[in-house]
């Protein structure tokens, strides 16, 4: 009896892992081709960084989390960095974006890499 319960528990764990893995593949397959490229292009065109960022370390990564509303307007932004100036500038500029190709009320993330030359 104990052995049967052990096998059932393992089977449930394996089935859960397989379901989560296949689910993530289906979500990626469900996205429209070119949506990522168009969104990336829009972000590159509209998000600019003035001279405020010059006192950076050699290299810094900033993870930006954001969501969009039904009409594509960015309605929430969180930039994960210790540099307050960069954080406020990124958040201000992202809130001005309209990304119509993205699904509403879904959290998206992007990593911005800054390097000083």
């Amino acid at each position: 009896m104990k052995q049967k319960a052990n096998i059932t528990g393992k089977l449930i764990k394996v089935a859960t892992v397989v379901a989560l893995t296949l689910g993530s593949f289906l979500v990626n397959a469900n996205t429209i081709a070119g949506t990522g490229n168009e969104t990336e292009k829009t972000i590159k065109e509209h998000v600019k960084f003035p001279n405020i960022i010059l006192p950076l370390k050699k290299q810094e990564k900033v993870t930006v989390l954001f969501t969009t509303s039904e009409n594509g307007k960015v309605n929430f932004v969180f930039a994960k960095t210790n540099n307050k100036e960069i954080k406020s500038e990124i958040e201000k500029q992202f809130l001005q974006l309209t990304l119509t190709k993205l699904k509403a009320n879904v959290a998206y993330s992007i990593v911005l890499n800054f390097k000083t030359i």
Side-chain angles (χ1 to χ4, degrees), residues 24-44:
S24 65
F25 284 124
L26 290 175
V27 168
N28 284 337
N30 216 4
T31 59
I32 300 169
T35 299
N37 292 338
E38 187 173 324
T39 302
E40 182 180 341
K41 183 180 175 186
T42 302
I43 292 171
K44 282 182 180 179

Side-chain angles (χ1 to χ4, degrees), residues 9-112:
K10 287 181 181 180
L11 187 61
I12 290 172
K13 289 178 185 176
V14 169
T16 303
V17 170
V18 169
L20 290 173
T21 304
L22 290 177
S24 65
F25 284 124
L26 290 175
V27 168
N28 284 337
N30 216 4
T31 59
I32 300 169
T35 299
N37 292 338
E38 187 173 324
T39 302
E40 182 180 341
K41 183 180 175 186
T42 302
I43 292 171
K44 282 182 180 179
E45 288 175 355
H46 291 91
V47 177
K48 303 291 181 203
F49 299 100
N51 294 337
I52 197 169
I53 299 178
L54 288 179
L56 276 178
K57 303 181 224 172
K58 278 274 191 206
Q59 183 174 351
E60 186 168 345
K61 279 186 176 181
V62 179
T63 302
V64 181
L65 303 171
F66 64 95
T67 61
T68 59
S69 63
E70 296 293 330
N71 62 0
K73 183 91 172 130
V74 174
N75 58 4
F76 172 78
V77 182
F78 176 73
K80 186 178 176 184
T81 180
N82 292 330
N83 189 325
K84 292 178 183 177
E85 294 167 337
I86 292 175
K87 178 179 175 66
S88 66
E89 188 65 30
I90 289 172
E91 290 175 352
K92 181 178 83 173
Q93 290 187 32
F94 262 79
L95 284 172
Q96 297 171 355
L97 289 175
T98 302
L99 306 168
T100 57
K101 298 291 183 181
L102 298 180
K103 291 183 182 180
N105 302 319
V106 175
Y108 294 95
S109 68
I110 185 170
V111 177
L112 304 175

